[in-house]
Amino acid sequence: MSIQNTVLAHVNLIDLPGHVRAADATQFDRSSSKWPDLPVRIHVLDFKAVEALDSAFYSSAERFKRQVEAKNSKVVSINFRPEILTQVIKDGKEITLGHVRNLSLSQSVKVDDSNEEAKTWMIKYSVQAARQAMDTMFNTTVAADENYREMPPSLADANFFKVATIDGFGVKRQSIFRLYFQRQTLESLTRTVLGPGGGPIDEETLLSIPCELLNIIYTSVKSRLNDERGYDLPPAIPKLLDPDRAPPTLGRGHNTSWIPMITALGAFYLQIELKA
């Protein structure tokens, strides 16, 4: 069975074969080049027949997802067999493939959440994404309290080294995500990336970590909130700032929440600000 697609009621349903090999990824690249221009709102990768999945497919799916999002549409994946879903999660590609548990959920209409409800969902999904990312990237766990809201008093004078920030400005809801890091934490994370005997701290690697981690968190939150609650958070690119450009007191108030992320390699801090 080859890769086949069917367009039904603004949905492009893509059936994948039982064994998705490197050659199938190449076929997917050829076939999918025209799909972003289809008059649909959503592209659904149906994994119900998939018994074996080659890692080459991940790159093809990621390229397709970028092309689709550029057209203001989205990609989701459904019907994973348990063993295939386990493989995808282990490979850290569940977010890339846009896994949802059922198609009706991914097409739900907008939920009229208040700002406080929106913050609760953003924090919940941010913590989940951070835990998965830290486990995958740095082999460490994260302790975080999803119910925490206030800025810890000690952070007002904290000696932060860098701040990663990303603007999730949709038409209906606007949010800013920031990650605050002290240098000691970044050095510990960098040593983990470089591995034993990795030599002196690589400044380029060190400076890439805040934006890479924030990008993973925001992309996961955006995908889940857009799919599950009908938000319109857009694709966005993180920026790295010095703390004087984004002091810890920035956005302090009712619409700003802080979530300390505590790991064995040091702490970092997530700030979520919702614009009124």
Side-chain angles (χ1 to χ4, degrees):
M1 173 184 173
S2 60
I3 297 173
Q4 299 177 351
N5 78 298
T6 306
V7 177
L8 296 169
H10 303 291
V11 175
N12 180 29
L13 183 61
I14 304 160
D15 290 311
L16 299 174
H19 291 76
V20 181
R21 302 182 176 89
D24 296 301
T26 301
Q27 183 206 339
F28 182 86
D29 286 335
R30 290 195 300 267
S31 300
S32 65
S33 63
K34 300 177 181 179
W35 293 341
D37 293 321
L38 291 173
V40 299
R41 293 193 295 265
I42 186 171
H43 302 261
V44 180
L45 297 172
D46 194 342
F47 281 77
K48 65 178 178 292
V50 176
E51 299 177 351
L53 180 63
D54 192 287
S55 60
F57 182 73
Y58 295 143
S59 296
S60 297
E62 196 160 13
R63 282 193 294 271
F64 177 54
K65 185 177 181 181
R66 288 197 299 267
Q67 294 166 356
V68 164
E69 289 182 343
K71 297 287 186 176
N72 295 317
S73 188
K74 59 184 175 182
V75 177
V76 299
S77 298
I78 61 173
N79 295 333
F80 286 96
R81 296 172 185 241
E83 63 274 17
I84 298 299
L85 181 57
T86 298
Q87 174 191 335
V88 168
I89 293 173
K90 183 178 179 181
D91 293 340
K93 298 299 181 181
E94 186 179 15
I95 295 171
T96 297
L97 296 179
H99 172 231
V100 295
R101 300 198 179 278
N102 59 70
L103 183 56
S104 62
L105 183 64
S106 71
Q107 300 182 83
S108 60
V109 296
K110 178 183 178 295
V111 178
D112 190 20
D113 286 337
S114 66
N115 263 11
E116 191 60 34
E117 290 169 329
K119 273 197 301 184
T120 297
W121 287 109
M122 288 179 181
I123 291 170
K124 178 182 179 68
Y125 290 159
S126 293
V127 169
Q128 292 176 1
R131 285 173 174 156
Q132 181 176 338
M134 293 299 288
D135 179 55
T136 301
M137 296 170 63
F138 305 106
N139 193 31
T140 190
T141 58
V142 172
D145 182 359
E146 296 177 12
N147 297 313
Y148 199 91
R149 290 293 187 275
E150 298 300 322
M151 175 182 174
S154 61
L155 294 190
D157 299 317
N159 186 26
F160 286 116
F161 173 62
K162 291 293 179 183
V163 182
T165 181
I166 195 164
D167 295 339
F169 286 1
V171 174
K172 301 170 185 175
R173 195 176 299 278
Q174 298 185 338
S175 57
I176 303 174
F177 290 67
R178 303 183 184 99
L179 283 184
Y180 289 78
F181 287 89
Q182 294 169 326
R183 185 175 181 95
Q184 182 178 357
T185 299
L186 285 177
E187 288 180 352
S188 297
L189 296 175
T190 304
R191 290 191 184 95
T192 301
V193 172
L194 296 177
I201 292 293
D202 178 352
E203 196 75 6
E204 183 177 352
T205 301
L206 183 146
L207 293 176
S208 72
I209 288 173
C211 286
E212 184 176 354
L213 185 56
L214 181 59
N215 188 53
I216 291 172
I217 292 172
Y218 174 78
T219 299
S220 176
V221 173
K222 171 185 71 69
S223 296
R224 294 189 67 178
L225 288 177
N226 289 357
D227 289 344
E228 298 176 16
R229 306 197 69 76
Y231 289 17
D232 65 339
L233 296 176
I237 299 173
K239 298 177 292 187
L240 189 64
L241 303 177
D242 292 327
D244 60 348
R245 297 276 307 281
T249 52
L250 189 66
R252 189 172 186 175
H254 178 69
N255 289 325
T256 301
S257 296
W258 281 85
I259 307 91
M261 303 278 186
I262 312 301
T263 81
L265 300 173
F268 59 97
Y269 302 86
L270 171 67
Q271 184 194 62
I272 298 177
E273 179 184 354
L274 287 181
K275 295 292 187 180

